[in-house]
Amino acid sequence: MSVRVGVLGATGAVGQRLIQLLDPHPEFEIAALTASESSAGKTYREAAKWRVDAPIPTDVAEIEVGATAPEAVPDDVDLIFSSLPSGVGEQVEPEFCEAGYVVSSNSSNGRMDEDVPLTIPEVNADHVDLIEVQRDERGWDGALLKNPNCSTITMVPALEALDRAFDLTDVRVSTLQAVSGAGYSGVSSMEIIDNAIPHIGGEEQKMETESRKLLGSFDGAEVRLHDMDVAASCNRIPTLDGHLENVWADTADDVTAEEAAEAMEAVSGIDLPSSPEQLITVFEEPDRPQPRLDRNTEGGMGVAVGGFRETTDGVQFNCLAHNTMRGAAGASILNGELLDKRGYL
Ligand code: 11C
């Protein structure tokens, strides 16, 4: 039987990707959509300013969009996907959890809270059981699970492969991020053409802290952050979708460029419907991966890497992922599939 799901923030750029990926989905069936007050009461067709590269699914188009509040969502909805602006998520997500809903959230609020699991299922699925601690501490019947920021998701699968084999000590990363990461205002800001913006508010800190939580250890009671040092510099460039990142990774053990590429190529997906067969695709060509050519690797759920070379203390490489698919909507859906598999729904 399918799991009935609701989407909070359904009309935003990530909300629209969620709907695209959920219709159809082998386990989930869309049962409720919410958005801001100005959209409530309209059909989804009327409310959504469609931008992503797919038509509105016909069975979703006529669903009436509700207000973003637990009382506006039917009780028989088992799982909520949230792509709310962080200020709204901070207030509303705990209300849903208190009302008994299990929430898989892409919103940035609360990602580093000690009792909130932050997961990429192929990297640290075991952290999901932090929900037991969360329920004890907060007295919730529901639960809150987060996926990381899209630029963090792009580099962490590759870093995990390096850490497992060669023990990471320091990571430096410089990003070239697509405008869809900034939502509608980013997409429509055509003034970015012939320009690059060397600042994305709060992004560096997210990459530096979230990656240490994802690669940290979980002992059943708490997540201890990985002790590697991470420093990020984030830049916006005029591409529509796909974040490209230049990474310098220092390791405790010696590593060659070939060994680093081999360690990443060996990473497969896991047994969840949205996890790709090949999680990391290695490109040999020196000018790949590129956003326009490679963002849809493995249906947009893969990570592409290339440009390996040895440095004094480790390796340098480039990585790329589709920011609104692998990095946001797809990441939340994978986490929803994990919650289902682990019996939290
Ligand atoms: C960007 N990474 O490209 C941001 C968007 O914390 O989920 C996603 C922000 C987040 O601007």
Side-chain angles (χ1 to χ4, degrees), residues 18-35:
L18 273 162
I19 286 161
Q20 179 193 352
L21 296 175
L22 285 170
D23 193 278
H25 183 278
E27 293 176 355
F28 302 150
E29 174 199 347
I30 297 175
L33 304 175
T34 85

Side-chain angles (χ1 to χ4, degrees), residues 14 86 106-109 111 147-152 177-183 200-203 206-207 210 235-236 243 323 327-328:
V14 175
S86 59
N106 175 63
S107 308
S108 63
N109 52 286
R111 285 184 184 143
N147 62 260
N149 177 23
C150 43
S151 53
T152 310
Q177 296 183 220
V179 290
S180 59
I200 303 175
E203 193 81 350
K206 289 181 199 171
M207 293 189 81
E210 292 172 12
N235 305 279
R236 185 81 67 202
H243 288 351
N323 53 301

Side-chain angles (χ1 to χ4, degrees), residues 7-10 14-15 18 34 68 80-94 96 103-113 116-119 144-150 153 206 210 213 327-329 331-333 335:
V7 178
L8 313 185
V14 175
L18 273 162
T34 85
T68 302
I80 296 283
F81 291 108
S82 168
S83 63
L84 296 167
S86 59
V88 183
E90 192 169 16
Q91 186 206 320
V92 169
E93 288 173 350
F96 273 87
V103 179
S104 171
S105 168
N106 175 63
S107 308
S108 63
N109 52 286
R111 285 184 184 143
M112 293 304 292
D113 287 2
V116 174
L118 180 74
T119 57
L144 180 60
L145 173 64
K146 293 275 168 176
N147 62 260
N149 177 23
C150 43
I153 293 180
K206 289 181 199 171
E210 292 172 12
K213 184 167 179 177
S332 277
I333 291 173
N335 272 349

Side-chain angles (χ1 to χ4, degrees), residues 158-169 215 226 228 251:
L159 292 181
E160 200 265 342
L162 287 181
D163 191 44
R164 196 161 6 98
F166 308 104
D167 198 0
L168 280 175
T169 55
L215 295 185
H226 194 294
M228 66 184 175
T251 52

Side-chain angles (χ1 to χ4, degrees), residues 207-227:
M207 293 189 81
E208 290 162 4
T209 55
E210 292 172 12
S211 53
R212 295 183 59 216
K213 184 167 179 177
L214 289 157
L215 295 185
S217 57
F218 176 54
D219 63 6
E222 64 173 333
V223 174
R224 293 177 76 96
L225 302 189
H226 194 294
D227 60 6

